[in-house]
Amino acid sequence: MAKTVLVTGGAGYIGSHTVLQLLLAGFKAVVVDNLENSSEVAIKRVAELAGEFGKNIIFHKIDIRDKEALEKVFASTTFDAVIHFAGLKAVGESVHKPLLYYNNNIIGTINLLEVMSAHGCKKLVFSSSATVYGWPKEVPCTEEFDLSATNPYGRTKLFIEEICRDIHISDPDWSIILLRYFNPVGAHPSGHIGEDPRGFPNNLMPFVQQVAVGRRPALTVFGNDYSTKDGTGVRDYIHVVDLSDGHISALQKLFDGSEIGCEVYNLGTGKGTSVLEMVAAFEKASGKEIPLVIAGRRPGDAEIVYASTAKAEKELHWKAKYGIEEMCRDQWNWASMNPWGYGCPDPAD
Ligand code: NAD
Ligand code: UFG
């Protein structure tokens, strides 16, 4: 029998790619999303891309803080596990609106956990972030590093990790995998789904993409005086399809009968790439020049962050396959086919 997975935030960037991989792997997916930072078009396209498996997706427009609505979803379906993506993620906005972030991310998660518990669904995969490593003292970051947060968004990730550890201690029936994502970029190779941030893009590649399609004049490089190969910040960029596959591996671990408890895994490639290297790779993939404006460092930014991938490789049997060439190729494919994201029809519609 096909297993059924509830995916919160499944219309979003990482969620939509993961739902597609879930469907292709034979799972049934029920998506709940309030569409605060996403579009229902993504769900439609995922169903199309999944071909014969497209019938195995159900979408509910629900805010996870609406407990009654969540209750109804759990009353109508028995879930084998939950993948919990739903959350707000803009670091700068979280500094200005901390209560919004604590309300949405933490209260939303507590609601979800309560409803799961009430319905005996105790297998969870949660979207944590490399942001919990703060400015790491050394690299690569291993899962045992000290944790810290420099902004309310990061604190919501830290708190939710702690909540998960606590509920497992209180009730060992829970099996929880916390996935710490490094920097997800790229898009599905078809070009039909990808990242479509609302408003001003906070992250590097969505910004680069908007410069390439003429929506913005230049990329501002935040700092060229770091102690790195070219002075710009270094990150571990990971193709969103690799990241999505990491969730399938995590689910397999939850279902394979082993004692998991509450376990944490990095999802990254283990390779560090500078801002200028990423821009050069994107220029090569797209044939577009990205004008640069060099500015000062962005407050709160770390110098070099990349993952140790050993634990995920050993215990989840997962390893990223794609490099920055494929990430940039697929990001450009999505951007050129959908220069306004889901805001206007793509040629295939
Ligand atoms: P996204 O904004 O594209 O997706 C999040 C989805 O959650 C959106 O569709 C949004 O509408 C939905 N949502 C938000 N609050 C909700 C609520 N209260 N009820 C129902 N739906 C709600 O973001 P993403 O990049 O796909 O990120 C997914 C998760 O991964 C988030 O939790 C994010 O913090 C985490 N994460 C992302 C990154 C990254 O760089 N993209 C890095 C580390 C961790
Ligand atoms: N950068 C620029 N110009 C921009 C945007 C970013 O130069 O317009 C630089 C940053 O200074 C940094 C690098 O590009 O050196 C990557 O920045 P991102 O904002 O894309 O990514 P971060 O590593 O700063 O943070 C992101 C998310 C966090 C998450 C973290 C790890 O915003 O929430 O990845 O997953 F925690």
Side-chain angles (χ1 to χ4, degrees):
M1 262 271 284
K3 291 204 167 9
T4 305
V5 180
L6 178 76
V7 185
T8 75
Y13 173 45
I14 306 169
S16 56
H17 288 81
T18 303
V19 170
L20 176 58
Q21 299 307 93
L22 278 174
L23 295 175
L24 295 175
F27 289 94
K28 290 183 174 172
V30 175
V31 172
V32 296
D33 196 304
N34 64 1
L35 303 181
E36 178 70 34
N37 195 38
S38 52
S39 162
E40 202 172 338
V41 177
I43 298 289
K44 188 176 135 256
R45 295 210 186 148
V46 165
E48 286 165 5
L49 287 169
E52 59 175 309
F53 298 108
K55 63 182 187 309
N56 291 337
I57 181 172
I58 295 174
F59 174 65
H60 299 284
K61 184 171 183 288
I62 282 178
D63 191 305
I64 58 166
R65 290 166 296 176
D66 181 348
K67 204 168 181 184
E68 221 172 285
L70 264 190
E71 274 287 352
K72 279 193 192 142
V73 174
F74 275 81
S76 65
T77 311
T78 301
F79 294 109
D80 295 289
V82 173
I83 306 181
H84 177 31
F85 294 106
L88 297 174
K89 62 165 186 177
V91 172
E93 183 185 51
S94 81
V95 174
H96 299 291
K97 300 178 183 170
L99 291 177
L100 174 68
Y101 274 68
Y102 292 131
N103 184 305
N104 193 80
N105 294 6
I106 296 190
I107 296 187
T109 301
I110 291 173
N111 253 346
L112 174 70
L113 295 170
E114 284 176 346
V115 177
M116 286 176 69
S117 179
H119 289 266
C121 174
K122 297 184 180 177
K123 292 189 193 313
L124 174 74
V125 178
F126 172 64
S127 307
S128 188
S129 166
T131 196
V132 300
Y133 294 122
W135 181 309
K137 284 196 208 91
E138 52 179 355
V139 279
C141 301
T142 71
E143 288 83 351
E144 295 74 37
F145 273 22
D146 287 344
L147 304 182
S148 67
T150 52
N151 56 69
Y153 164 73
R155 269 185 280 281
T156 69
K157 294 295 175 195
L158 259 185
F159 291 161
I160 295 167
E161 283 204 6
E162 297 295 1
I163 290 169
C164 289
R165 285 185 264 275
D166 285 341
I167 59 171
H168 172 257
I169 291 168
S170 75
D171 176 359
D173 284 351
W174 280 90
S175 297
I176 302 176
I177 292 186
L178 309 171
L179 296 176
R180 292 185 184 144
Y181 311 154
F182 282 68
N183 291 60
V185 297
H188 190 265
S190 66
H192 292 301
I193 54 172
E195 185 165 18
D196 180 23
R198 296 261 160 95
F200 196 80
N202 300 290
N203 299 116
L204 178 66
M205 291 315 282
F207 205 102
V208 168
Q209 169 183 323
Q210 292 194 3
V211 175
V213 298
R215 287 171 64 178
R216 308 208 180 258
L219 170 75
T220 305
V221 176
F222 296 136
N224 64 353
D225 59 349
Y226 288 109
S227 301
T228 60
K229 39 196 149 186
D230 56 26
T232 62
V234 167
R235 294 291 183 276
D236 186 339
Y237 297 95
I238 173 169
H239 197 297
V240 66
V241 173
D242 273 333
L243 188 80
S244 299
D245 283 338
H247 294 72
I248 312 298
S249 303
L251 278 184
Q252 279 157 355
K253 179 91 178 160
L254 287 180
F255 293 139
D256 78 4
S258 46
E259 283 287 313
I260 295 160
C262 181
E263 213 39 83
V264 54
Y265 296 97
N266 288 337
L267 293 185
T269 64
K271 296 185 185 71
T273 304
S274 74
V275 174
L276 296 183
E277 285 174 331
M278 208 58 190
V279 169
F282 189 87
E283 285 182 325
K284 194 167 168 215
S286 65
K288 300 273 176 190
E289 194 198 335
I290 305 296
L292 303 179
V293 174
I294 306 294
R297 295 180 179 197
R298 186 171 63 176
D301 265 359
E303 187 165 75
I304 305 181
V305 187
Y306 59 87
S308 162
T309 58
K311 189 175 174 193
E313 280 176 37
K314 182 160 176 269
E315 296 179 19
L316 297 181
H317 314 293
W318 168 90
K319 189 174 169 35
K321 293 191 286 283
Y322 299 113
I324 59 168
E325 289 75 22
E326 287 102 341
M327 297 177 212
C328 292
R329 176 199 68 196
D330 294 339
Q331 182 107 24
W332 173 240
N333 192 32
W334 153 253
S336 52
M337 285 171 72
N338 307 271
W340 296 88
Y342 294 115
C344 65
D346 83 0
D349 282 342

